[in-house]
PDB file of all heavy atoms in Angstrom:
ATOM      1  N   PRO A   4      36.088 -28.012 100.164  1.00 70.00           N
ATOM      2  CA  PRO A   4      36.358 -29.403 100.548  1.00 70.00           C
ATOM      3  C   PRO A   4      36.318 -29.619 102.053  1.00 70.00           C
ATOM      4  O   PRO A   4      35.992 -30.712 102.521  1.00 70.00           O
ATOM      5  CB  PRO A   4      37.767 -29.654  99.995  1.00 70.00           C
ATOM      6  CG  PRO A   4      37.916 -28.678  98.881  1.00 70.00           C
ATOM      7  CD  PRO A   4      37.129 -27.460  99.291  1.00 70.00           C
ATOM      8  N   VAL A   5      36.636 -28.589 102.808  1.00 68.00           N
ATOM      9  CA  VAL A   5      36.613 -28.696 104.272  1.00 68.00           C
ATOM     10  C   VAL A   5      35.204 -29.009 104.772  1.00 68.00           C
ATOM     11  O   VAL A   5      35.016 -29.674 105.792  1.00 68.00           O
ATOM     12  CB  VAL A   5      37.134 -27.386 104.915  1.00 68.00           C
ATOM     13  CG1 VAL A   5      37.041 -27.456 106.433  1.00 68.00           C
ATOM     14  CG2 VAL A   5      38.557 -27.122 104.479  1.00 68.00           C
ATOM     15  N   ILE A   6      34.199 -28.550 104.024  1.00 77.00           N
ATOM     16  CA  ILE A   6      32.803 -28.803 104.394  1.00 77.00           C
ATOM     17  C   ILE A   6      32.254 -30.022 103.661  1.00 77.00           C
ATOM     18  O   ILE A   6      31.561 -30.856 104.246  1.00 77.00           O
ATOM     19  CB  ILE A   6      31.942 -27.558 104.075  1.00 77.00           C
ATOM     20  CG1 ILE A   6      32.404 -26.372 104.919  1.00 77.00           C
ATOM     21  CG2 ILE A   6      30.466 -27.847 104.335  1.00 77.00           C
ATOM     22  CD1 ILE A   6      31.686 -25.084 104.615  1.00 77.00           C
ATOM     23  N   LEU A   7      32.575 -30.150 102.378  1.00 82.00           N
ATOM     24  CA  LEU A   7      31.992 -31.222 101.561  1.00 82.00           C
ATOM     25  C   LEU A   7      32.497 -32.605 101.959  1.00 82.00           C
ATOM     26  O   LEU A   7      31.712 -33.561 102.032  1.00 82.00           O
ATOM     27  CB  LEU A   7      32.296 -30.974 100.085  1.00 82.00           C
ATOM     28  CG  LEU A   7      31.475 -29.901  99.377  1.00 82.00           C
ATOM     29  CD1 LEU A   7      31.932 -29.735  97.938  1.00 82.00           C
ATOM     30  CD2 LEU A   7      29.982 -30.252  99.415  1.00 82.00           C
ATOM     31  N   ILE A   8      33.782 -32.750 102.208  1.00 82.00           N
ATOM     32  CA  ILE A   8      34.338 -34.071 102.522  1.00 82.00           C
ATOM     33  C   ILE A   8      33.754 -34.651 103.810  1.00 82.00           C
ATOM     34  O   ILE A   8      33.324 -35.813 103.837  1.00 82.00           O
ATOM     35  CB  ILE A   8      35.878 -34.020 102.576  1.00 82.00           C
ATOM     36  CG1 ILE A   8      36.439 -33.752 101.172  1.00 82.00           C
ATOM     37  CG2 ILE A   8      36.444 -35.335 103.124  1.00 82.00           C
ATOM     38  CD1 ILE A   8      37.941 -33.576 101.124  1.00 82.00           C
ATOM     39  N   PRO A   9      33.669 -33.887 104.909  1.00 81.00           N
ATOM     40  CA  PRO A   9      33.002 -34.425 106.104  1.00 81.00           C
ATOM     41  C   PRO A   9      31.541 -34.785 105.853  1.00 81.00           C
ATOM     42  O   PRO A   9      31.045 -35.791 106.376  1.00 81.00           O
ATOM     43  CB  PRO A   9      33.125 -33.286 107.119  1.00 81.00           C
ATOM     44  CG  PRO A   9      34.312 -32.515 106.678  1.00 81.00           C
ATOM     45  CD  PRO A   9      34.301 -32.582 105.187  1.00 81.00           C
ATOM     46  N   ALA A  10      30.850 -33.971 105.027  1.00 82.00           N
ATOM     47  CA  ALA A  10      29.445 -34.271 104.721  1.00 82.00           C
ATOM     48  C   ALA A  10      29.326 -35.586 103.964  1.00 82.00           C
ATOM     49  O   ALA A  10      28.425 -36.400 104.228  1.00 82.00           O
ATOM     50  CB  ALA A  10      28.826 -33.129 103.918  1.00 82.00           C
ATOM     51  N   LEU A  11      30.233 -35.812 103.011  1.00 86.00           N
ATOM     52  CA  LEU A  11      30.232 -37.064 102.246  1.00 86.00           C
ATOM     53  C   LEU A  11      30.513 -38.266 103.150  1.00 86.00           C
ATOM     54  O   LEU A  11      29.825 -39.297 103.062  1.00 86.00           O
ATOM     55  CB  LEU A  11      31.272 -36.999 101.125  1.00 86.00           C
ATOM     56  CG  LEU A  11      30.951 -36.089  99.948  1.00 86.00           C
ATOM     57  CD1 LEU A  11      32.169 -35.948  99.035  1.00 86.00           C
ATOM     58  CD2 LEU A  11      29.759 -36.628  99.161  1.00 86.00           C
ATOM     59  N   LEU A  12      31.501 -38.129 104.014  1.00 86.00           N
ATOM     60  CA  LEU A  12      31.866 -39.236 104.903  1.00 86.00           C
ATOM     61  C   LEU A  12      30.734 -39.562 105.867  1.00 86.00           C
ATOM     62  O   LEU A  12      30.392 -40.729 106.083  1.00 86.00           O
ATOM     63  CB  LEU A  12      33.146 -38.901 105.673  1.00 86.00           C
ATOM     64  CG  LEU A  12      34.429 -38.839 104.840  1.00 86.00           C
ATOM     65  CD1 LEU A  12      35.597 -38.374 105.697  1.00 86.00           C
ATOM     66  CD2 LEU A  12      34.734 -40.198 104.225  1.00 86.00           C
ATOM     67  N   ASN A  13      30.133 -38.531 106.450  1.00 86.00           N
ATOM     68  CA  ASN A  13      29.019 -38.766 107.373  1.00 86.00           C
ATOM     69  C   ASN A  13      27.813 -39.337 106.649  1.00 86.00           C
ATOM     70  O   ASN A  13      27.066 -40.145 107.210  1.00 86.00           O
ATOM     71  CB  ASN A  13      28.646 -37.459 108.091  1.00 86.00           C
ATOM     72  CG  ASN A  13      29.608 -37.139 109.228  1.00 86.00           C
ATOM     73  OD1 ASN A  13      29.768 -37.910 110.156  1.00 86.00           O
ATOM     74  ND2 ASN A  13      30.280 -36.005 109.135  1.00 86.00           N
ATOM     75  N   GLY A  14      27.619 -38.929 105.388  1.00 86.00           N
ATOM     76  CA  GLY A  14      26.541 -39.500 104.597  1.00 86.00           C
ATOM     77  C   GLY A  14      26.741 -40.979 104.347  1.00 86.00           C
ATOM     78  O   GLY A  14      25.794 -41.775 104.423  1.00 86.00           O
ATOM     79  N   LEU A  15      27.981 -41.383 104.064  1.00 88.00           N
ATOM     80  CA  LEU A  15      28.284 -42.805 103.869  1.00 88.00           C
ATOM     81  C   LEU A  15      28.028 -43.607 105.137  1.00 88.00           C
ATOM     82  O   LEU A  15      27.471 -44.715 105.088  1.00 88.00           O
ATOM     83  CB  LEU A  15      29.741 -42.974 103.429  1.00 88.00           C
ATOM     84  CG  LEU A  15      30.083 -42.550 101.999  1.00 88.00           C
ATOM     85  CD1 LEU A  15      31.586 -42.595 101.778  1.00 88.00           C
ATOM     86  CD2 LEU A  15      29.373 -43.456 100.986  1.00 88.00           C
ATOM     87  N   LEU A  16      28.413 -43.060 106.273  1.00 88.00           N
ATOM     88  CA  LEU A  16      28.222 -43.765 107.540  1.00 88.00           C
ATOM     89  C   LEU A  16      26.744 -43.895 107.882  1.00 88.00           C
ATOM     90  O   LEU A  16      26.292 -44.942 108.365  1.00 88.00           O
ATOM     91  CB  LEU A  16      28.968 -43.040 108.663  1.00 88.00           C
ATOM     92  CG  LEU A  16      30.490 -42.916 108.502  1.00 88.00           C
ATOM     93  CD1 LEU A  16      31.109 -42.266 109.733  1.00 88.00           C
ATOM     94  CD2 LEU A  16      31.126 -44.263 108.240  1.00 88.00           C
ATOM     95  N   THR A  17      25.974 -42.840 107.639  1.00 86.00           N
ATOM     96  CA  THR A  17      24.525 -42.902 107.887  1.00 86.00           C
ATOM     97  C   THR A  17      23.859 -43.865 106.915  1.00 86.00           C
ATOM     98  O   THR A  17      22.985 -44.657 107.290  1.00 86.00           O
ATOM     99  CB  THR A  17      23.901 -41.504 107.731  1.00 86.00           C
ATOM    100  OG1 THR A  17      24.518 -40.605 108.654  1.00 86.00           O
ATOM    101  CG2 THR A  17      22.404 -41.542 108.002  1.00 86.00           C
ATOM    102  N   GLY A  18      24.284 -43.816 105.652  1.00 88.00           N
ATOM    103  CA  GLY A  18      23.701 -44.686 104.638  1.00 88.00           C
ATOM    104  C   GLY A  18      23.926 -46.156 104.919  1.00 88.00           C
ATOM    105  O   GLY A  18      23.132 -47.008 104.487  1.00 88.00           O
TER     106      GLY A  18
END
Side-chain angles (χ1 to χ4, degrees):
V5 177
I6 297 176
L7 284 178
I8 292 176
L11 288 171
L12 291 175
N13 281 301
L15 287 172
L16 299 184
T17 301

